[in-house]
Amino acid sequence: MQKAVETTEKRARRSWYFYDFGNSAYASVVLLAVYSAFFKNVVVGGAEGTRLWGVAVGAAAILVAIISPILGTIADFTKSKKKFLLIFTVLSVVFTAMLFFVRKGDVFTGMLFFILAEIGYRAAQVFYDSLLTDVSTPESIGSVSGKGWAIGMVGGIVALLIVLLPIQLVGKENQNQIIPYTFLITAVIYLVSSIPSFLWVVEKHDSEPIPAGKNAISLAFHKLAQTFRSVKQYKEFIKYTVAFLIYNDGIMMLMDFAAIIGATLFGMQQIQLILFVILIQFSGTFGALLFGRISDKKSSKEAIIIPLLILIAAVTGLFFVKSMILFFVIGFIAGFSLSGVQAVSRTMVSQLSPSSKSAEFYGFLSVAGRTSTFVGPLVFGTISFRAHNWYTNHGFENTLAEQYGLLWAIGSIILFLVVGLLFLLLVKRVSAKDPIKF
């Protein structure tokens, strides 16, 4: 009997890992390597492409920030995390595939389809993360989260290698014709990888009965209000949310504009960008595993601080490197540290929140994260665009003006990372051996 239970739990855990494999394919192809650069350089073009990319990312972030806390609350007391995960996964898969129809000059549809795919991806992530407590124990949660993130990195690498082949075969002059097919491939990988979670991951917490005279939505608002009123009870979670809000700004800016930075500062072409992101994913696999272990053995706080310091140093290096080889070295270091921060960040939420409120608290963190993905890209895009215009108006050649504008925007990434780190230092150290008491 015990062996059967262990087998079921292992299958659920592996299924949960495999979901990360698929949604990381979306992140790697759409956000990091292919669509972001395609939208900026082909669909729009120039510094305006950078600005509109920030607007598109921000618009999706605002919508997810609005809906995710309420949906997270509903999911907690109706035992419907998987149901919401399915809805938003399908939304993301469908509109990732619809990116196939976006061509040069299709600015509106290019933004609309991406925004809808991004809403699905980000909202699904809330419910996927909240299932972490259903597939782990307090003692294993750090390593389980790290393994999930590492397998996600592998998924990103596999997806990029698959899309790299046809792009490489057609040659540089025909790349823009073949790139739309990569979004169809990504949608298929995302869909197939998500299926095991829907089949074998089990929500362990029982649903709550809905009182007479109330429905799920009104009860969700009521419970959300209760959480706000009892916020003093969860002060460490609130402090951590503030820190996460700030340092995650820097992380999201770096991820959303990595391809644009590479293309603008170092003249990287599509194949080089894909190889660059593969390198980031490769190093990120080891970062997620290492810092997940540190989280279990020491604490999540230390396992976030260390990679944050490494990431700050790596991003600062962008002001000093001039060669593409050194840019790849910075990418390797940044990928290693960035994945460590992200993998452990979701572990820390579980350690700072009651298990019965996991999806609700992940929803709150999502507000922080989605607000970050609104504020961060908007700040980056605005600084880059306005600095570019300033340099252009003062006689600088357009390409040089765009590069200088990006460097100013990169400075804002460092600022967000440093300030977020300082706030994180104020959060209580929590571990499996020394859990927080509510």
Side-chain angles (χ1 to χ4, degrees), residues 198-220:
F198 301 123
L199 293 177
W200 293 306
V201 172
V202 178
E203 296 180 53
K204 294 181 178 178
H205 300 293
D206 293 330
S207 59
E208 297 181 26
I210 298 177
K214 289 186 176 290
N215 56 43
I217 295 176
S218 64
L219 190 56

Side-chain angles (χ1 to χ4, degrees), residues 2 9 16 46 62 77 83 97 115 137 146-147 181 186 189 207 217 264 334 336-337 348 351 396 409 412 416:
Q2 181 65 28
E9 289 180 349
W16 186 83
I62 289 177
F77 69 76
K83 184 184 297 183
I115 288 169
T137 64
K147 286 177 183 177
Y181 290 92
T186 303
I189 295 173
S207 59
I217 295 176
T264 303
F336 174 79
S337 54
M348 197 156 178
Q351 294 177 338
F396 285 76
S412 69
F416 279 111

Side-chain angles (χ1 to χ4, degrees), residues 407-428:
L407 288 173
W408 278 100
I410 289 169
S412 69
I413 294 178
I414 298 171
L415 179 63
F416 279 111
L417 292 174
V418 170
V419 175
L421 173 61
L422 294 176
F423 274 92
L424 181 63
L425 295 175
L426 303 176
V427 180
K428 182 180 179 180

Side-chain angles (χ1 to χ4, degrees), residues 296-309:
D296 282 341
K297 292 184 177 298
K298 293 186 177 294
S299 77
S300 294
K301 181 178 178 179
E302 289 164 293
I304 295 175
I305 289 173
I306 295 169
L308 264 181
L309 289 169

Side-chain angles (χ1 to χ4, degrees), residues 227-406:
T227 305
F228 274 114
R229 284 194 294 269
S230 61
V231 72
K232 291 181 181 178
Q233 186 179 356
Y234 310 117
K235 62 181 181 179
E236 294 303 321
F237 174 79
I238 297 302
K239 284 157 59 176
Y240 171 65
T241 299
V242 172
F244 177 83
L245 169 68
I246 301 170
Y247 75 67
N248 196 55
D249 269 338
I251 289 176
M252 291 298 104
M253 293 155 79
L254 194 58
M255 290 180 64
D256 292 335
F257 291 92
I260 291 173
I261 291 171
T264 303
L265 294 185
F266 299 94
M268 295 172 70
Q269 301 300 314
Q270 188 62 72
I271 291 175
Q272 293 168 320
L273 288 172
I274 291 174
L275 292 173
F276 177 73
V277 175
I278 288 174
L279 181 70
I280 291 175
Q281 302 279 35
F282 176 75
S283 64
T285 302
F286 298 101
L289 290 171
L290 173 63
F291 292 111
R293 284 187 170 274
I294 292 175
S295 174
D296 282 341
K297 292 184 177 298
K298 293 186 177 294
S299 77
S300 294
K301 181 178 178 179
E302 289 164 293
I304 295 175
I305 289 173
I306 295 169
L308 264 181
L309 289 169
I310 298 171
L311 186 59
I312 290 167
V315 177
T316 303
L318 289 173
F319 288 95
F320 305 100
V321 302
K322 303 298 179 185
S323 72
M324 194 181 299
I325 292 175
L326 290 177
F327 181 61
F328 270 76
V329 172
I330 285 179
F332 183 90
I333 297 170
F336 174 79
S337 54
L338 186 149
S339 293
V341 174
Q342 290 184 301
V344 180
S345 288
R346 64 187 179 189
T347 301
M348 197 156 178
V349 178
S350 299
Q351 294 177 338
L352 293 174
S353 63
S355 60
S356 62
K357 293 177 176 285
S358 60
E360 184 180 345
F361 273 64
Y362 275 110
F364 273 110
L365 188 74
S366 177
V367 172
R370 301 297 76 81
T371 303
S372 295
T373 53
F374 163 63
V375 176
L378 186 61
V379 168
F380 189 100
T382 301
I383 290 176
S384 176
F385 183 72
R386 292 193 177 278
H388 163 266
N389 288 348
W390 187 92
Y391 283 110
T392 301
N393 293 336
H394 285 75
F396 285 76
E397 187 266 330
N398 186 63
T399 301
L400 194 61
E402 190 173 358
Q403 290 175 342
Y404 285 164
L406 269 182

Side-chain angles (χ1 to χ4, degrees), residues 23-37:
N23 79 347
S24 292
Y26 167 90
S28 298
V29 175
V30 177
L31 284 175
L32 286 174
V34 183
Y35 188 70
S36 54

